[in-house]
Amino acid sequence: MALSFVATVRARSITDMAGHSMTVPDRIERVVSFDPKTNAILFPVAGELMVARGMSGSAAMHSGGAANMKYISDKFLNTKAIDANNIEEIMRMKPDIVIIGVFLSSGANVSRYQNMSERSQIPFVIIDLDLEKLDDSLIFLGELLDREDIAVQCADFVRTVYSIAADCRNMTPLQGNVYLATRSAGLISAPANTTHTQVFALLNIPVVTKGELNAQGFTTVSIEQVIAWNPDYIFCLGSGESNPYRHILKSGIWRGISAVKQRQIYSVPSDPYPWIDMPPSVNRIPGIIWLANIFYGRQAEQTMQDITTFYRLFYQYELTEKEYKKLIINYL
């Protein structure tokens, strides 16, 4: 007699953070992360459940690429990178679900993810990457993946950093303003009131940049505009040749700007991800801690301790004091 067995896959209904209802396996064992900004928040909770990390287009470039990433677990670096915009590549990984981080408060259009879900017959689950919603997203991921313990630890840490930011906002308002520079010439910037400058907004640090946004949410400015804005602080974003830090320091046309004259120019720490943006994800949390030290006088020793804790929780990496100091020194 031939016996046949039918495996029954248990399922449950969930509602993602964009309000979409869907059915997912009761026990999720294989997860694909859609892009670098999702990779950063998903990895600490999902761990080995994350079978692929999305890398595509400019987002892949901004992430620095695995070969150049430092101070993050080998588990992450060894996770297969795929082009998550390619449905066939996603399907080859046989995931139970795909996770996508978006900025819901900005009215992000998520219809294309729904279309991809319908075409692949794989649930696409949306989480919120708004800077002030990261704790909620971590808790959501913990419940979804049955990883509540680590998710709660990460969310509690984020809430502690939110409290640091709130304490800063209650202090005497900051005197001065900021220009965020990227690309080699320093004339690509992120204006105020964008996702790229949320860290400054959370700390009541004014951003001088104004301009029309391109598709990536940045704007091109002229050196004449920067001179007219005369920022008190300049933060340089990027790695290698794309970081304008050295160019700004050496170029005569920047010399008269207040930030350069006062040597209040910083190269944003960028390993494994920049602390302010690129991508805008949980990597902004150490940025809040760092800026609280620069602008509000938070103790340097406590700053180092908190950032080291962040690396342990989110990147599963024990950052040494030497490595920390290397991160925050202005050099390329």
Side-chain angles (χ1 to χ4, degrees):
M1 181 184 295
L3 298 178
S4 62
F5 296 88
V6 178
T8 302
V9 177
R10 290 190 171 188
R12 56 189 160 126
S13 296
I14 67 160
T15 301
D16 70 11
M17 298 185 77
H20 302 137
S21 298
M22 65 194 74
T23 300
V24 301
D26 189 52
R27 183 176 178 182
I28 295 170
E29 298 179 332
R30 297 180 64 83
V31 183
V32 165
S33 176
F34 192 80
D35 56 19
K37 65 183 186 298
T38 310
N39 299 343
I41 189 171
L42 179 60
F43 173 69
V45 180
E48 74 280 359
L49 300 182
M50 194 168 94
V51 296
R53 51 191 175 91
M55 304 283 285
S56 60
S58 61
M61 177 186 71
H62 290 164
S63 76
N68 299 319
M69 295 178 86
K70 300 176 184 176
Y71 314 141
I72 192 167
S73 168
D74 286 343
K75 292 179 191 175
F76 180 87
L77 298 178
N78 293 332
T79 301
K80 184 177 178 62
I82 66 169
D83 179 2
N85 287 296
N86 185 323
I87 289 180
E88 286 73 23
E89 282 205 48
I90 291 177
M91 294 179 71
R92 276 195 287 271
M93 298 309 301
K94 299 180 180 179
D96 295 317
I97 59 171
V98 176
I99 302 287
I100 312 102
V102 302
F103 299 95
L104 293 174
S105 62
S106 301
N109 184 357
V110 298
S111 59
R112 81 181 188 99
Y113 305 123
Q114 293 175 279
N115 292 336
M116 292 178 77
S117 179
E118 290 171 4
R119 288 169 59 194
S120 64
Q121 294 298 294
I122 299 168
F124 276 50
V125 181
I126 292 172
I127 61 171
D128 195 348
L129 289 184
D130 185 274
L131 183 57
E132 297 185 73
K133 297 291 185 181
L134 295 177
D135 56 336
D136 294 338
S137 295
L138 288 161
I139 294 296
F140 175 87
L141 287 172
E143 293 173 351
L144 176 67
L145 303 176
D146 194 23
R147 296 290 183 93
E148 287 94 342
D149 288 351
I150 184 60
V152 167
Q153 289 181 57
C154 290
D156 284 348
F157 183 86
V158 169
R159 288 164 181 160
T160 298
V161 177
Y162 289 162
S163 296
I164 292 170
D167 291 342
C168 290
R169 292 195 299 270
N170 290 329
M171 294 181 183
T172 304
L174 176 75
Q175 298 300 310
N177 50 42
V178 162
Y179 174 76
L180 182 64
T182 188
R183 305 294 170 84
S184 57
L187 297 177
I188 303 294
S189 187
N193 303 317
T194 65
T195 57
H196 304 290
T197 54
Q198 273 190 317
V199 170
F200 297 111
L202 191 67
L203 289 164
N204 281 349
I205 301 169
V207 174
V208 298
T209 309
K210 300 176 179 63
E212 294 296 321
L213 300 180
N214 62 24
Q216 285 77 42
F218 288 83
T219 189
T220 301
V221 301
S222 67
I223 187 62
E224 290 77 16
Q225 287 174 306
V226 181
I227 291 170
W229 290 327
N230 195 29
D232 300 293
Y233 298 84
I234 295 174
F235 286 84
C236 299
L237 192 60
S239 59
E241 295 300 319
S242 70
N243 189 307
Y245 178 71
R246 273 187 186 162
H247 170 77
I248 291 172
L249 281 180
K250 292 181 177 181
S251 174
I253 59 176
W254 289 80
R255 193 172 299 152
I257 294 171
S258 178
V260 180
K261 288 193 294 186
Q262 300 298 321
R263 302 288 290 190
Q264 293 180 152
I265 173 170
Y266 296 85
S267 180
V268 177
S270 59
D271 289 314
Y273 294 105
W275 289 2
I276 288 177
D277 189 41
M278 293 186 177
S281 187
V282 291
N283 49 297
R284 296 175 292 175
I285 293 299
I288 296 170
I289 302 167
W290 180 54
L291 292 176
N293 169 245
I294 293 171
F295 288 94
Y296 291 98
R298 195 162 187 271
Q299 290 185 350
E301 184 176 341
Q302 186 64 56
T303 297
M304 181 177 70
Q305 183 179 332
D306 290 342
I307 289 175
T308 300
T309 300
F310 173 87
Y311 273 67
R312 182 184 307 118
L313 283 173
F314 286 82
Y315 298 149
Q316 297 177 17
Y317 186 90
E318 291 294 335
L319 191 70
T320 67
E321 183 175 349
K322 182 178 180 180
E323 288 168 337
Y324 172 78
K325 289 179 177 177
K326 191 174 180 181
L327 273 169
I328 64 170
I329 290 174
N330 286 327
Y331 81 104
L332 296 179

